[in-house]
Amino acid sequence: MAHKVVAIPGDGIGPEVMDAVRAVMRAADAPVEFETHEAGLAALEGPEGELLPASTKSAILAAGLALKGPCTTPIGTGFRSVNVQLRQTLKLFAAVRPVRSLPGVQTRYEDVDLVIVRENTEGLYSGVENVITEDVVASMKVATRPACRRIAKWTFRYATQRRRKKVTVFHKANIMKMTDGMFLEEARRVHKEDYPNIDYEEMIIDAAQMRLVQDPTQFDIILCENLYGDVVSDLCAGLVGGLGVTPGANIGDECAVFEAVHGSAPDIAGQNLANPLALLMSGTMMLNHIATTRDDEQAKLAAQRIKKAYDDTLSAGELTRDLGGELGTKEFTEALIGRV
Ligand code: NAI
């Protein structure tokens, strides 16, 4: 059975990398059927005149799955980014970013393999800001027990499903005793009551950054509240070759949106220069998600085939220009399809 997936090509290099991913998925016999919907500038100029049209949101809710290319946020007031809107309206509370060293991609470390799970709905991103006086403004950091517990449960369940061994919570509860304190309390409780077999540790966020750059291989799953997760995710992407090789997902109870974390790269759009790898890796995450949540062996096999194909292609030194190689988007995609 094919699973319906909403494909949102997005803007700039989005359509090019989406075409490449769909071609590789077809070659890998992935059990997915794509239905294209617009978001971003393409949608703003379309009949609904919105960056994120209601028809795209309802299609994602109906399918439960979306693969999204980068969307340009127009500069100027009045535009809320498509990503923020998607997170809020579809209640995508877990942002998941796997970070793994890739063969053939030269970086300082060779064997990084960690996953960052970020609480996506609260903290300093709750949007509660006040003017206290003309010269004093304040932003409120919000933590609620249900959201802290929900992300902790999700993280430990994910760790079990993916056979991960350890969860490390980054926090600053020594200073933010109530908000980060509650985040820690719930993580401790979920660990103790439901997942005592998984190793659990806590690390103060500043010391954790030093340890991350000294030796990222000591981490397995990192769990963070919203702002810390946002910052740590990009730091970790830098450990393995940058945003061009980093996949991501935003997951909720009703649906999940998988996306490359890079932007629409208008400087190289339409020139056969875009690297489709990040979106392809996000697509591979989506197949693994289908395999686990919908118990589909064919999705798991397709994910394995695609991962092996890109690992082998990179190992052979067949790289796009952003990674120091010579291949264009089309040539790189053909190399992948040849190996799938
Ligand atoms: P960007 O990620 O689009 O580009 C930064 C640099 O990385 C550029 O030199 C670009 O050519 C290069 N690059 C990015 N992805 C690449 C790929 N797949 N292959 C090869 N090179 C790649 O970031 P920038 O310039 O800050 O943002 C451009 C637009 O993208 C903005 O409108 C921004 O709002 C939007 N954006 C959208 C995101 C999303 O939808 N997830 C995330 C970040 C930015």
Side-chain angles (χ1 to χ4, degrees), residues 6-274:
V6 172
I8 303 172
D11 302 310
I13 59 170
E16 296 164 66
V17 291
M18 183 64 79
D19 283 350
V21 171
R22 290 178 66 159
V24 175
M25 289 229 175
R26 242 189 332 269
D29 203 16
V32 289
E33 183 194 322
F34 287 102
E35 185 182 285
T36 302
H37 286 263
E38 300 291 353
L41 280 189
L44 190 65
E45 286 152 14
E48 290 175 69
E50 298 270 358
L51 270 187
L52 180 60
S55 57
T56 301
K57 277 185 273 189
S58 49
I60 299 174
L61 275 171
L65 293 168
L67 184 62
K68 181 187 152 296
C71 295
T72 299
T73 305
I75 295 173
T77 49
F79 294 110
R80 277 199 314 146
S81 107
V82 169
N83 296 328
V84 173
Q85 288 190 58
L86 277 174
R87 260 174 237 159
Q88 288 175 349
T89 53
L90 303 179
K91 302 188 178 66
L92 306 174
F93 62 84
V96 187
R97 193 161 319 162
V99 174
R100 183 174 70 93
S101 301
L102 290 166
V105 180
Q106 294 273 313
T107 57
R108 200 177 292 262
Y109 305 100
E110 281 174 3
D111 43 7
V112 180
D113 181 12
L114 56 85
V115 180
I116 299 142
V117 181
R118 160 185 171 198
E119 203 290 323
N120 226 0
T121 64
E122 302 194 325
L124 277 165
Y125 291 35
S126 303
V128 186
E129 292 199 302
N130 294 304
V131 178
I132 312 291
T133 70
E134 200 184 331
D135 297 322
V136 181
V137 288
S139 209
M140 192 183 288
K141 176 158 166 160
V142 178
T144 66
R145 202 170 290 286
C148 294
R149 186 169 310 170
R150 178 175 63 180
I151 195 70
K153 283 192 165 184
W154 192 92
T155 304
F156 279 101
R157 192 172 62 237
Y158 177 88
T160 311
Q161 286 166 346
R162 302 302 160 101
R163 298 179 206 285
R164 295 267 171 179
K165 301 269 179 295
K166 183 171 72 173
V167 172
T168 307
V169 184
F170 288 0
H171 68 94
K172 193 80 186 172
N174 49 331
I175 306 294
M176 279 160 279
K177 296 179 195 294
M178 295 176 94
T179 46
D180 283 15
M182 184 184 282
F183 197 81
L184 279 184
E185 266 169 38
E186 291 307 313
R188 280 179 201 155
R189 180 186 314 217
V190 171
H191 170 247
K192 190 163 163 232
E193 290 178 2
D194 301 329
Y195 297 93
N197 296 338
I198 292 182
D199 290 344
Y200 172 76
E201 65 182 358
E202 295 167 358
M203 218 173 267
I204 293 181
I205 181 98
D206 35 355
Q209 301 318 286
M210 184 186 68
R211 291 176 67 168
L212 253 178
V213 296
Q214 281 177 334
D215 177 17
T217 63
Q218 66 191 286
F219 295 98
D220 193 352
I221 291 188
I222 296 169
L223 168 62
C224 299
E225 63 81 83
N226 210 340
L227 173 64
Y228 307 154
D230 196 2
V231 177
V232 171
S233 295
D234 278 17
L235 183 146
C236 288
L239 299 173
V240 297
L243 298 180
V245 291
T246 315
N250 289 293
I251 298 179
D253 286 328
E254 290 173 61
C255 49
V257 178
F258 296 81
E259 60 170 350
V261 297
H262 60 72
S264 52
D267 53 331
I268 58 164
Q271 298 169 47
N272 194 35
L273 291 175

